[in-house]
Amino acid sequence: MPRRVASQTKYEALTMLRNGEQLLLLVILPVIALVALTKMDLLDTVLLPGTTRIDYAVPGVLALSVISNAFSGQGIQTGFDRRYGVLRQLATTPLGRSGLVAGKLGAILLVLGFQCLLIGVVAMVLGWHPSLPGVLAALAVLVLGAVAFTGLGMLAAGTLRAEATLAVVNLLWVLLAVAGGTLAPAAALPEWVAPVVALLPSAALGDALRAVLVPGASAGLAGPLLILAVWAVAAWAATARWFRWS
Amino acid sequence: MDHPLTPTDADQQLPALEVRALSMEFNVSHGRGHHAVRAVNGLSFVAAHGQVTALLGPNGAGKTTTLECAQGLLKPTGGTVRLLGEDPWNAGPLLRSRAGVMLQDGGLPQSARPGEFLRHVSSMYRQPADMSGLMDRLGIHSFARTPLRRLSGGQRQRVALAAALAGNPEIVFLDEPSAGLDPQSRTVVFELIAQLREQGTAVVLTTHLLDDAQRLADHVVIVARGTVRASGTVAELIAGDDGGRPGALRIGLTAGQRRAWESAPPVSSGRSTSESEEPPTGVSSFGRSIGLNVTLEDDRVTVTGDIRPEVLAHITSWLADTGELPTSMTLQPRTLEDVFLAIAGREIR
């Protein structure tokens, strides 16, 4: 079982990284966002005393990378695999349905590792000085975020037509990035909408990463983690209930 | 997981696949709610090792749904399926490694290249087939590095067949294996199927091509509207219950006979539902009660259906009464197509 899942993980990860559009979504757009948030004054209203733009940019861009990868990237790939019968074909091999899902999750974590490494290096070039405890806590949050967004991506891929999945996840990627509490905290949004946005998985992931990575952050970690965990459980429960293989 | 990978003798005694009273209902949602559609309705058949079993039937007969239940891709709503003695829906990796599947819609990722995809599928099996040899045999090497989306239907079909055979299966399911194949590929695929049979593999395939069934199958299962209408070897099906009466009687009429036939045919088509229903004046009711099908085209008469000796006697006596010999007269042996149309034909038309 582990050997077959590892084989599927490698295959899925290579398929994602070799696809031009996926690469744009996975690394190029997040890196552009990182540079833009560092060089422009977009985040200046939320900066705490003693912090810099890059301290806020990195957690937001890491959250965006998770959405690019687990939700948009794997959602689109799985949607088309479903349309072309690839899911059913692989489910009839010894890999099976559970092995296939495990392989996809493994590929998402592998690609996420690659994204974090690249973003970390670019951020350090731009002057980021992370703390080791902060980075370790962030990795744990990233894994939880990846599980939640994989569930949401699978739900879209397993219930909508492939083209509809493509449209929905790309539209949501833009909305969540700009106004979903991903790149900038929900608190920075107008008062009437902020409490609602804070309940989105994107805001919960962004807020949790900011709580562990921004030096001297005052916002709590427990609330966002709880919201993210609820989304993860709900998304996977809905996927288990409604996912269609054909 | 350390299971023996070779089947035991007991396994070989069992049929490779046993489908009993299978039913499958789908909930179809539409504007105002759901309704159940029954795709398979009490279907039973058995597929043996070392034999080609063909499910033959018109489109929508329930062939693919039956295969998907047997492959563990669908959970039947009724009846039982035993694949190599086990329940395919709850199949573990070992059972799945013993069955190969070629899906009707291909099951191939469009952006992948055949070579790497087949190597990947091979990596799922502990004792994979010689994939390079298989690709050679199926002529895949020449396009192994071309993305699947750029391949023709027949090329993709060959890749899907190689994927189904990647694990040296004991039973292989082929859904419409010859669809989209050019004549050369068809020959290669048919030879491969014959070789699998010789190796003792159970081959279960679906087709709506009578020619394929007649050429390949040891055992034919005719399916229509979700149930088995007839099954047996091709020879058995052709022989039928009556020992193989002819499929058709063809007579070439002289001009005089033709005029006589047109004004008062000695036999008529159709099956009368009530005895009181009289044919039009001058038309013989002969043939009505046994459901003959009679056509007159130019000067040729074709009679199909249950051609009993008395049918021949009746018509030859009518011919004798005209005082002329017909220009020709032949009894044609029954074909699988005659059997198939007799069973499924009325329902599909």
Side-chain angles (χ1 to χ4, degrees):
Chain A
M1 181 76 177
R3 183 184 57 81
R4 291 186 287 265
V5 171
S7 177
Q8 186 65 22
T9 292
K10 186 179 139 204
Y11 180 79
E12 296 265 359
L14 280 176
T15 304
M16 282 184 88
L17 292 174
R18 274 200 321 220
N19 180 309
E21 296 116 73
Q22 294 275 31
L23 216 51
L24 180 75
L25 200 63
L26 291 172
V27 292
I28 297 172
L29 292 178
V31 167
I32 290 174
L34 183 65
V35 174
L37 291 175
T38 312
K39 298 297 175 195
M40 295 153 81
D41 62 357
L42 301 163
L43 288 173
D44 287 5
T45 53
V46 299
L47 295 188
L48 287 174
T51 60
T52 57
R53 287 173 188 166
I54 191 84
D55 292 329
Y56 275 87
V58 172
V61 168
L62 288 176
L64 182 66
S65 305
V66 170
I67 300 174
S68 293
N69 170 356
F71 181 62
S72 307
Q74 196 52 254
I76 293 166
Q77 187 159 317
T78 305
F80 280 95
D81 278 356
R82 172 169 158 247
R83 138 95 82 83
Y84 291 116
V86 183
L87 296 183
R88 293 188 305 149
Q89 179 72 57
L90 290 173
T92 66
T93 71
L95 181 67
R97 287 181 287 253
S98 52
L100 179 56
V101 174
K104 285 190 177 285
L105 194 55
I108 286 166
L109 295 176
L110 197 67
V111 171
L112 183 60
F114 167 70
Q115 289 175 297
C116 288
L117 208 63
L118 186 75
I119 288 161
V121 168
V122 174
M124 285 198 269
V125 170
L126 292 169
W128 186 48
H129 299 288
S131 72
L132 185 63
V135 169
L136 293 179
L139 288 177
V141 173
L142 285 166
V143 170
L144 177 62
V147 170
F149 276 100
T150 305
L152 292 168
M154 292 295 131
L155 184 61
T159 55
L160 304 173
R161 281 186 307 115
E163 289 79 4
T165 299
L166 181 75
V168 166
V169 299
N170 280 335
L171 179 67
L172 283 176
W173 185 88
V174 173
L175 289 178
L176 294 180
V178 175
T182 309
L183 292 174
L189 294 168
E191 250 174 64
W192 60 273
V193 70
V196 180
V197 170
L199 295 175
L200 295 176
S202 50
L205 178 59
D207 288 346
L209 287 170
R210 279 182 284 271
V212 297
L213 284 176
V214 175
S218 56
L221 178 62
L225 281 186
L226 182 68
I227 295 169
L228 203 53
V230 168
W231 275 101
V233 171
W236 280 101
T239 299
R241 171 72 183 78
W242 286 298
F243 193 94
R244 283 177 305 163
W245 291 82
S246 58
Chain B
M1 260 171 275
D2 286 315
H3 298 282
L5 281 166
T6 44
T8 62
D9 290 343
D11 282 345
Q12 294 289 356
Q13 306 287 312
L14 290 169
L17 175 69
E18 192 174 357
V19 174
R20 196 176 297 155
L22 180 73
S23 293
M24 187 69 214
E25 273 181 19
F26 294 101
N27 273 316
V28 178
S29 49
H30 46 85
R32 257 174 268 152
H34 302 272
H35 79 280
V37 171
R38 188 164 276 209
V40 178
N41 190 2
L43 187 147
S44 304
F45 74 97
V46 165
H49 293 280
Q51 285 204 356
V52 176
T53 304
L55 300 187
L56 180 67
N59 294 326
K63 306 185 296 289
T64 296
T65 303
T66 301
L67 284 201
E68 290 189 340
C69 290
Q71 293 154 356
L73 287 169
L74 286 175
K75 189 181 184 197
T77 46
T80 53
V81 181
R82 308 302 286 172
L83 172 65
L84 300 166
E86 294 181 55
D87 172 13
W89 178 251
N90 294 309
L94 178 69
L95 180 59
R96 285 194 302 266
S97 74
R98 296 168 65 195
V101 173
M102 174 176 163
L103 298 169
Q104 194 175 356
D105 48 17
L108 306 171
Q110 300 296 292
S111 59
R113 292 155 209 276
E116 64 189 10
F117 180 71
L118 290 174
R119 272 191 299 279
H120 175 58
V121 172
S122 284
S123 76
M124 295 297 159
Y125 296 90
R126 195 177 296 180
Q127 292 181 348
D130 165 21
M131 187 46 82
S132 185
L134 201 53
M135 286 167 69
D136 213 21
R137 182 87 190 268
L138 288 164
I140 296 172
H141 279 302
S142 61
F143 52 85
R145 299 177 61 80
T146 310
L148 276 148
R149 80 168 78 80
R150 288 208 226 121
L151 300 182
S152 72
Q155 289 172 323
R156 269 184 239 165
Q157 197 79 343
R158 285 181 271 159
V159 176
L161 181 57
L165 301 177
N168 270 325
E170 292 163 52
I171 178 167
V172 61
F173 294 97
L174 308 173
D175 202 350
E176 305 276 355
S178 55
L181 292 182
D182 57 46
Q184 291 94 320
S185 311
R186 213 167 104 99
T187 305
V188 170
V189 167
F190 282 17
E191 279 170 9
L192 197 59
I193 291 172
Q195 191 191 329
L196 288 168
R197 167 176 47 195
E198 266 162 45
Q199 290 166 357
T201 309
V203 180
V204 180
L205 58 86
T206 70
T207 181
H208 56 261
L209 300 176
L210 297 147
D211 198 28
D212 282 7
Q214 200 150 7
R215 245 177 93 179
L216 282 173
D218 299 296
H219 187 69
V220 177
V221 180
I222 297 182
V223 180
R225 294 206 180 169
T227 56
V228 174
R229 295 304 164 97
S231 70
T233 62
V234 172
E236 282 166 357
L237 285 170
I238 288 174
D241 295 334
D242 55 21
R245 285 189 179 135
L249 166 63
R250 291 183 209 281
I251 310 159
L253 301 178
T254 63
Q257 284 170 334
R258 183 182 165 185
R259 278 191 300 278
W261 190 291
E262 277 168 345
S263 60
V267 286
S268 44
S269 292
R271 192 181 288 272
S272 74
T273 46
S274 74
E275 290 302 318
S276 60
E277 191 186 315
E278 284 298 318
T281 321
V283 175
S284 166
S285 65
F286 189 92
R288 289 211 141 201
S289 59
I290 49 175
L292 291 180
N293 186 21
V294 186
T295 55
L296 173 66
E297 207 176 297
D298 298 330
D299 54 1
R300 286 190 310 278
V301 170
T302 306
V303 182
T304 56
D306 185 6
I307 301 175
R308 304 170 187 187
E310 58 263 39
V311 174
L312 196 60
H314 180 82
I315 292 173
T316 45
S317 126
W318 180 87
L319 290 168
D321 289 345
T322 64
E324 291 180 306
L325 281 174
T327 57
S328 67
M329 189 160 169
T330 34
L331 280 172
Q332 293 202 323
R334 196 185 279 171
T335 62
L336 193 56
E337 186 172 354
D338 295 324
V339 177
F340 179 72
L341 289 177
I343 292 166
R346 273 184 286 280
E347 294 167 54
I348 53 175
R349 277 181 284 179

